[in-house]
Amino acid sequence: MDTGRTIPLTRRWISLLTRSAVAAAACLTAASLATPAAAASPPSANGTAVVGGSRASQGEFPWMVRISDGCGGALYTERIVLTAAHCVDRTGKDTSITATLGVVDLHDSSATKVRSTYVYRSPTYDTTGGDWALIKLARPVRGIPTLPLATAADYNKGKFTVAGWGYTVEDGNQQRYLQKAEVPFVDDQTCRSQGGEYDGLQPDAEICAGYVDEGGVDSCQGDSGGPLFRRDDADQWIQVGITSWGTGCARPHAPGVYTEVSTFAADIAAAAKKI
């Protein structure tokens, strides 16, 4: 996970690591995933990438987006990227973010790069939860598919795919190539029973995924804001989560925690119409 997943400091994958990197160097591959904080506390800025995965093929997940602050995201509409609230500072005009799309290799000269014009941060993130945000782009992105959202909890089960350019090991380095991995659903009771920050899991706002007993596969620093997705009944990709936080990366008894997209799908849609 990106800015929400780190060693217990705060509940955001995108905390200090990402913010200091952006402020100091504005580096495209800056780390950003936050670690879990208390239920009402917002995540911080330390990112996480996919651990225990493999390289994605060009065009396999065309709606994946890399954000210049060190997070990930998914193309929600031709002009809006869905990411995590902990990956951005506030709602308002913002031209400081660059979205990279259309490639798995961040060094690929054919990448589409578009600046932001506006950011909308979930108004409930700091209170009742909802780690999601929208980034409006300066122009529409043509020819790249969008990723639909799950609007009901029917798909919050089974196996999911997570993807990102984050670390492949805890406290590692951001990746040049997009990585992917499969992680199984973890029910709320099992997730909360892992203790520590997981005691504060918000069942209506968050969904857990990972290999609880053995660990080994997970999102990590730098993956924050990226999508957790699976196939729907029509065999089409659908987004069920947003990489949010976790304790370390791929540790046993420390599954990844993702924003439960179905809970916020209506709010996301309403916000997208306004910006």
Side-chain angles (χ1 to χ4, degrees):
M1 305 184 158
D2 201 281
T3 322
R5 170 152 269 195
T6 54
I7 300 142
L9 288 174
T10 10
R11 196 173 233 178
R12 289 179 171 176
W13 292 122
I14 190 175
S15 30
L16 301 178
L17 200 69
T18 297
R19 301 223 166 147
S20 57
V22 172
C27 178
L28 177 108
T29 55
S32 72
L33 237 174
T35 325
S41 300
S44 40
N46 294 325
T48 307
V50 175
V51 178
S54 60
R55 187 183 297 184
S57 303
Q58 178 62 34
E60 188 173 5
F61 310 123
W63 20 258
M64 286 295 300
V65 180
R66 183 62 176 170
I67 300 169
S68 56
D69 64 2
C71 280
L75 193 62
Y76 176 63
T77 72
E78 287 187 331
R79 201 171 172 181
I80 295 176
V81 173
L82 176 63
T83 188
H86 73 255
C87 289
V88 300
D89 291 325
R90 59 179 178 79
T91 294
K93 292 182 180 179
D94 190 333
T95 60
S96 69
I97 299 169
T98 298
T100 300
L101 310 93
V103 295
V104 295
D105 178 1
L106 294 178
H107 294 181
D108 192 328
S109 60
S110 69
T112 297
K113 295 179 181 287
V114 188
R115 300 288 287 187
S116 62
T117 60
Y118 191 89
V119 168
Y120 182 91
R121 191 173 187 260
S122 168
T124 62
Y125 173 59
D126 295 323
T127 54
T128 58
D131 191 6
W132 63 270
L134 301 175
I135 299 173
K136 186 175 183 179
L137 304 178
R139 61 177 175 82
V141 178
R142 308 296 188 190
I144 296 179
T146 58
L147 180 60
L149 304 187
T151 57
D154 302 17
Y155 297 112
N156 294 350
K157 58 186 177 182
K159 275 204 170 182
F160 310 118
T161 299
V162 64
W165 287 270
Y167 298 9
T168 54
V169 294
E170 190 173 310
D171 295 326
N173 296 298
Q174 299 272 315
Q175 299 299 298
R176 171 178 173 176
Y177 298 97
L178 181 67
Q179 303 290 309
K180 64 177 181 178
E182 281 195 347
V183 286
F185 168 72
V186 177
D187 66 84
D188 293 338
Q189 182 177 354
T190 299
C191 195
R192 296 183 80 166
S193 70
Q194 304 313 304
E197 298 291 346
Y198 294 93
D199 285 342
L201 181 78
Q202 299 171 293
D204 294 331
E206 297 171 325
I207 181 173
C208 298
Y211 294 90
V212 175
D213 293 333
E214 64 269 35
V217 181
D218 198 2
S219 54
C220 193
Q221 293 152 307
D223 291 327
S224 285
L228 180 75
F229 49 100
R230 55 158 290 175
R231 297 282 187 176
D232 64 12
D233 292 340
D235 200 33
Q236 300 299 306
W237 290 117
I238 190 168
Q239 183 170 355
V240 299
I242 300 169
T243 302
S244 184
W245 64 272
T247 299
C249 301
R251 297 181 186 182
H253 305 290
V257 181
Y258 303 81
T259 304
E260 192 167 324
V261 165
S262 59
T263 298
F264 302 100
D267 294 331
I268 292 169
K273 290 180 180 179
K274 296 178 182 177
I275 65 174

